[in-house]
Amino acid sequence: RGTPKDIANRAKAKGLSKLKFYCQMCQKQCRDENGFKCHLTSESHLRQMKVFQSNPDQVMDSFSTEFESAYLETLKRRHSTTKVNANLVYQEVIRERHHIHMNSTCWATLSDFVQYLGKVHKCVVEETERGWYVQYIDRDPLLLARQEAARKRAEAERMEEQRHMKRMDEIRREAIAKENGGALVQGPTEMDKTFSTGVAAVTIVLPPRITTAASSAAHIHATNKLSSSKALGWDDEDEDEKQKASKPDVKNHEFKPVASKKRRWDDSTTKTSHQGGSITNAKQNEATSNNSSPVIAIKDVRKKYWLHKDIIVRVITKRLANGDYYKRKGVVTKVIDKYTAEVEILDPDGGDILKLDQDDVETVIPKAVGERVLIVNGRGRGNLAYVVRLDANKYQADLKLFAVNGHQLISDVDFEDFSQTT
């Protein structure tokens, strides 16, 4: 021991030798053909062969099971569920010196073994020009539970989206009905293209003049903002900053009729005093309609806090429950103080209620035009509106207030200043 020959023999024994000189029953690797022939005539080998002859099927099934377990364990540990070449995995298996050789199993070739894995549904196999490729099918109970939870969460979000779209359709129809004075919205009809040769007379009936239109509109706007602020959970500090409706003095004001201007007509046009009166009445009607719906100035009320009741927010913190609530949506059910609120996670079976800071959530922007939102900060803070235009590049949107606020358009509103509401 310690001689150069012994050192050389041990160095050769460390590496892998030829497969045809390996005895699986005795688990002995011979270096050359002469050594393998001597091993076949040894007493230990003959005893092992007698054991094999007594029950060859059981011994071969045992070797096959061990080889299959080693192959699947290597595939799962090193490649997980990615698609990989079957021969590459086999080369990683046989790097182990005392591995189970394939010539001692029930499969003659690696292709037969790969096809067997596909038949028993333990792997997804595919034959390509570069050979057989395998992909491990993970049936871990924890993984299956996570996948089922993710599927349920996606289904809950889809159902909530459908319910929200249905509510938005109803609100849109009600808003259109209010604009038309409660009349039903009818579809387009064909135009009557038959013309008569006679002169058509147009009669316009003017509605009674409303002298206190500006004061009544301002009173409605102030009452609506007061009621919405109480419902959204504002504090007394926001109520002091509301606009006070100004009432103009119209007691001693006299309204004089507008004198109609006479227009000169060509000789080919029929001069009728009735037509002149109709034009004058139309101008007076347009002036009256413009005065009856005054434009109310939108005040820019920007605060450091923006949480409101009944808005939908998204959780952006990973510190809760190891990130289980990350990117999940919820509804603000209660505003505790200026910067904290209770959020109910959206779930069909009833979501968890969390107490979150406003830095842990963000606003939710609707995906479609026409959906209802609540302005939580800046211009029009606390007002309900619906989306007119979305600009994903600038992260801004154009919003239009509801009919109570005069259908005013607020343009270039940042995504962080409004959120989707229930």
Side-chain angles (χ1 to χ4, degrees):
R1 186 173 179 81
T3 60
K5 184 176 181 181
D6 180 62
I7 295 174
N9 291 337
R10 280 186 291 172
K12 292 179 182 179
K14 286 184 178 179
L16 295 177
S17 301
K18 291 184 179 181
L19 181 62
K20 62 181 181 179
F21 299 146
Y22 182 82
C23 178
Q24 185 65 58
M25 289 296 300
C26 303
Q27 296 183 358
K28 180 176 177 59
Q29 176 70 53
C30 301
R31 267 194 240 97
D32 51 15
E33 185 178 0
N34 186 27
F36 187 67
K37 187 182 297 184
C38 294
H39 171 71
L40 295 180
T41 58
S42 62
E43 295 181 1
S44 61
H45 178 74
L46 294 177
R47 287 196 299 267
Q48 292 293 334
M49 292 307 297
K50 288 181 179 179
V51 174
F52 178 77
Q53 290 176 359
S54 62
N55 196 351
D57 295 335
Q58 184 178 359
V59 175
M60 185 169 291
D61 291 343
S62 176
F63 288 150
S64 301
T65 303
E66 292 180 13
F67 178 79
E68 180 184 352
S69 301
Y71 190 91
L72 292 178
E73 181 65 23
T74 304
L75 178 62
K76 177 184 177 181
R77 185 177 65 254
R78 297 193 178 184
H79 304 284
S80 185
T81 57
T82 58
K83 186 183 295 185
V84 65
N85 195 306
N87 190 32
L88 177 62
V89 182
Y90 177 72
Q91 295 297 327
E92 295 176 354
V93 171
I94 65 176
R95 287 177 187 174
E96 177 66 28
R97 180 175 178 82
H98 298 288
H99 66 277
I100 303 298
H101 290 68
M102 182 166 286
N103 57 0
S104 61
T105 63
C106 60
W107 303 289
T109 60
L110 181 62
S111 300
D112 296 340
F113 175 66
V114 171
Q115 293 178 19
Y116 159 77
L117 293 179
K119 289 179 181 179
V120 296
H121 302 288
K122 293 184 178 180
C123 294
V124 178
V125 299
E126 181 182 359
E127 186 179 10
T128 62
E129 296 178 355
R130 296 184 179 181
W132 286 93
Y133 278 77
V134 293
Q135 182 179 2
Y136 182 71
I137 300 176
D138 196 352
R139 291 187 173 86
D140 186 12
L142 295 178
L143 178 63
L144 295 178
R146 288 196 299 267
Q147 292 177 352
E148 183 66 19
R151 186 189 64 80
K152 289 183 178 179
R153 185 161 56 248
E155 182 69 16
E157 291 182 357
R158 186 183 65 82
M159 294 176 63
E160 179 64 24
E161 190 72 19
Q162 291 180 356
R163 288 195 295 267
H164 179 69
M165 292 299 296
K166 186 176 179 180
R167 289 197 300 268
M168 290 306 303
D169 291 339
E170 295 177 357
I171 294 172
R172 193 180 298 112
R173 286 195 294 268
E174 292 176 359
I176 294 175
K178 289 181 180 179
E179 289 181 1
N180 298 332
L184 295 176
V185 181
Q186 297 181 354
T189 58
E190 296 183 359
M191 184 177 63
D192 188 6
K193 298 182 180 180
T194 60
F195 299 96
S196 60
T197 57
V199 179
V202 179
T203 304
I204 299 177
V205 180
L206 288 176
R209 181 181 295 274
I210 302 174
T211 58
T212 60
S215 61
S216 61
H219 177 69
I220 291 174
H221 177 69
T223 306
N224 176 59
K225 292 202 67 178
L226 180 59
S227 60
S228 61
S229 64
K230 292 180 179 180
L232 295 173
W234 287 355
D235 52 2
D236 296 336
E237 182 180 348
D238 293 335
E239 295 180 2
D240 296 337
E241 299 181 2
K242 293 180 175 59
Q243 288 184 328
K244 296 181 180 179
S246 59
K247 299 183 180 180
D249 188 9
V250 294
K251 294 181 180 179
N252 300 324
H253 186 73
E254 296 181 356
F255 292 89
K256 297 181 180 180
V258 181
S260 61
K261 296 181 180 180
K262 296 183 179 180
R263 302 181 63 180
R264 295 182 178 179
W265 302 88
D266 296 335
D267 296 338
S268 60
T269 307
T270 305
K271 297 181 181 181
T272 58
S273 61
H274 181 71
Q275 291 179 349
S278 301
I279 296 172
T280 305
N281 292 338
K283 292 183 178 180
Q284 294 179 358
N285 187 17
E286 182 179 359
T288 305
S289 62
N290 292 334
N291 293 331
S292 61
S293 58
V295 177
I296 303 173
I298 301 299
K299 189 176 181 181
D300 190 353
V301 183
R302 183 166 296 279
K303 301 286 185 181
K304 293 182 180 180
Y305 50 91
W306 54 268
L307 289 174
H308 291 73
K309 188 179 179 182
D310 294 335
I311 63 172
I312 300 177
V313 294
R314 181 183 288 107
V315 181
I316 59 174
T317 180
K318 296 182 180 179
R319 294 175 297 177
L320 293 174
N322 296 326
D324 291 343
Y325 297 103
Y326 181 65
K327 291 295 183 182
R328 294 192 63 180
K329 296 179 181 179
V331 180
V332 177
T333 58
K334 181 182 179 182
V335 179
I336 300 175
D337 53 30
K338 297 178 181 179
Y339 301 95
T340 311
E342 290 185 357
V343 179
E344 182 178 358
I345 302 300
L346 294 178
D347 197 298
D349 299 333
D352 300 332
I353 298 179
L354 309 176
K355 184 178 179 181
L356 300 174
D357 189 84
Q358 71 173 11
D359 295 336
D360 297 334
V361 295
E362 66 179 1
T363 58
V364 175
I365 307 304
K367 299 179 181 178
V369 174
E371 296 194 11
R372 188 173 68 170
V373 296
L374 176 69
I375 303 176
V376 298
N377 214 349
R379 293 172 296 168
R381 176 185 171 113
N383 288 299
L384 292 173
Y386 59 92
V387 181
V388 177
R389 182 184 65 87
L390 290 171
D391 191 348
N393 296 326
K394 296 182 179 180
Y395 300 98
Q396 292 179 345
D398 294 345
L399 307 179
K400 202 167 188 180
L401 303 182
F402 277 94
V404 178
N405 297 325
H407 278 276
Q408 299 187 41
L409 179 66
I410 305 178
S411 59
D412 299 334
V413 182
D414 295 335
F415 280 0
E416 61 183 10
D417 289 344
F418 68 93
S419 182
Q420 189 174 356
T421 182
T422 56

